[in-house]
Amino acid sequence: MPMNANLFALFESRFPADKSACCLETQDGLYYSWLDIQRATAKMANLLASLDLPKDARIAVQVEKSPEALILYLATLQAGYAYLPLNTAYRAAEIEYFIGNAEPSVVVCSPQNFGWVSKIAFKAHTKHVFTLGDRRDGSLLERALHMQDTFKTVEKKADDLAAILYTSGTTGRSKGAMLTHGNLSSNALVLHDYWHWQKGDVLLHTLPLFHVHGLFVASHGALLNGSKMIFLPKFDGAQVMQYLKRATVFMGVPTYYMRLLAESGLHAEACSNMRLFISGSAPLLMETFNEFAKRTGHTILERYGMSETTMLASNPYEGSRVGGTVGQALPGVSIRVVKSTPDNPHAPCASDEIGDIQVKGPNVFKGYWRMPEKTAEEFTEDGYFKTGDVGKLDAKGYLSIVGRSKDLIISGGYNVYPKEIESFIDEIDGVVESAVIGVPHPDFGEAVTAVVVAKPQAVIKESDVIALLKSKIANFKVPKRVHFVNDLPRNTMGKVQKNVLREQFK
Ligand code: MLC
Ligand code: AMP
C-alpha cells in the first residue's frame, strides 16, 4: 500500500507526542493544543465530507485571519479538496471573477460580507456558502460543532491538487496556479531542513493567511516541526516587539522589517531569544539588511519564491547570507539564468551575466487552472518554468534578482498588475488613456502611481480617480498618487515608455 501523499497526513505524522502542548496562541491569550487542532480539523473535514461534493471540489475562502481559518485550510486538505484562498481586500468585481473562474462548490466568507458574496456565489452555481468570523463565529462553525471529531484523512497522490492560488498575468485576467500535495510537501520538507527548524522553536506568525508566504512557508514550517505559533491577526510593529522575547522564528515581507526598524525598542537584547529572521516576497534593500544587523545582531535570511513555485532559492542558515541576493537554489530545485540567442532561446548566461530566471523541480506547479495554452507558453520545451524575473547567478551559485520582465509592481509584498488598474482608469469618463507604474516608497518598497491623460475639456481630479478605484478594487492596488499629463511618452513602436515615467515621477 503506497503512503498517503496527502499533505495533512504529513503534518499529522509530525504532531508532537504530547498533544496537550500548545499549537496556536492568540493575542487574546487563547491556547489551542495540538489535540484541539486535530479535533477541530476533523469536525470541519466531516462537515465538508457530508456535503457530498465532487471529488475535485474547490473550497474558496475569503475570511479574516484566525485559528479557525487555518483549521479550515487543514480540513480542506484532510477531506481531499482544493483550497482557494482569497485576499480579504478583494472587492465584488474581483471576487466575481475568481468564483466565476474557479467554480468552487463551497464558498466561505466573513459574516459581514455574506450578502454580496453569497449573491455572487449562488449566481455562479456554488451550492454552499458559509460564514466564518474572526471571533469563533459564523455558520461554518455552527454546523461543524455537531460533527464527529475524528476523520480518516482522504488518500491523495502527490500529483493531486491541494490548492489554487490566483496570480495575475501581464495581459488578461488572473490565472489560478494549481499546486499539488507533492509540490507543497516537498517544499515544506526542504525548508524544514534548510532553515534548521529545531526543538523549542516558536514562530511569531503575523503574515496574512491567503498567500504563499503566510499560509505555506510560515505555517507549514511550524506544523512540520510540531512548533507553537503565536498567531497574530496582522502585522503590527509595536505588537511584534512585545512578543519577540517569546519567539524564535519570524518571517515577513521587507515592509515588516522597515517598520520594525522604526521601533525604538528594536535592539539586540529585544531579540535575544530569536534564532532566525526571514524575509521574502519582495526585494530587501541593502540599507534594511545592514541596519537590521547593526541594531539587532541578526543577519536577515532572504529567500525567493512565487505562487507558481513556492520557494525556490534561499540564503543558507549556516554560511554566508549575502545581502542583495536571494541565496542559492534549494536542494532538488534547479535554477538557470538564460538569454535568447539566434540558435537557442534559452542559452545559459555566464556567471554574473543578467538574463531570465527559469526553474524546474518538485516544487513547480502543475499548471494554470483551465488554461492549458497559457501553461504551455510559460514552460520551456525542456520543462523549465519561466519566472518572469530577471537576475544573475554568481560563481558560487548565489542568485540576485535585478528586475522583472513581467510588468508587475510589488507593494508591501502584494502584487499589483498595472494592466488591470489601467483598464479600470481607462473606463472613467473623460480619461483618454493611462499608465500605471511603481515608484520607490519608503514603507511599501514600491507604490502604485497612475499617470493619466484626460480629454481636453474633462475636469477630473486626483481624488476622484482614487475614490472611484477604491469602490471597485482592493485598496492596496489603488494608486497612492495620480498625475495628469498631456501625452504618454512612446517609443518608435508606439509602446508607452514606462521607464521614462518611472524616472519622471519617482
Ligand atoms: C495596505 N495598504 C497597502 C498595502 N497594505 N497599500 C499598498 N500596499 C500594501 N501592501 C493600504 C491600506 O489599505 C490603507 O489604505 C493604506 O495602504 C495604509 O495602510 P496600513 O495601515 O499602513 O496597512 P497595513 O494594514 O498595516 O498593511 C500593510 C502590510 C500588509 C505591509 C502590513 O500589506 C501586509 O501584511 N503585507 C504582506 C503581504 C504578503 O503577505 N505578501 C506575501 C505574498 S506571497 P487606505 O486607503 O485605507 O489609507 C509571495 C511569494 C513569496 O509574494 O515569495 O512569498
Ligand atoms: P507572487 O506571484 O505573489 O507569488 O509573487 C512572486 C514574485 O515576488 C516573484 O516572481 C518575484 O518577483 C517576487 N519576489 C519574491 N521573493 C522575492 C525576493 N526575495 N526578492 C525580490 N523579489 C521577490
Side-chain angles (χ1 to χ4, degrees), residues 208 234 256 259 281 303 305 411-414 444 470 475 480:
K234 61 170 286 200
Y256 293 10
R259 290 188 180 185
S281 310
R303 63 32 170 207
S411 171
Y414 286 141
F444 293 129
K470 276 193 177 176
N475 230 351
K480 303 287 180 209

Side-chain angles (χ1 to χ4, degrees), residues 165-182:
L165 295 195
Y166 272 87
T167 155
S168 291
T170 33
T171 54
R173 303 303 296 260
S174 289
K175 303 165 292 195
M178 298 190 288
L179 291 158
T180 64
H181 286 266

Side-chain angles (χ1 to χ4, degrees), residues 175-208:
K175 303 165 292 195
M178 298 190 288
L179 291 158
T180 64
H181 286 266
N183 292 147
L184 299 178
S185 310
S186 70
N187 210 234
L189 288 165
V190 163
L191 294 177
H192 183 263
D193 283 353
Y194 209 72
W195 293 341
H196 290 215
W197 278 91
Q198 49 197 254
K199 203 165 181 288
D201 268 338
V202 174
L203 173 72
L204 183 49
H205 193 305
T206 69
L207 284 153

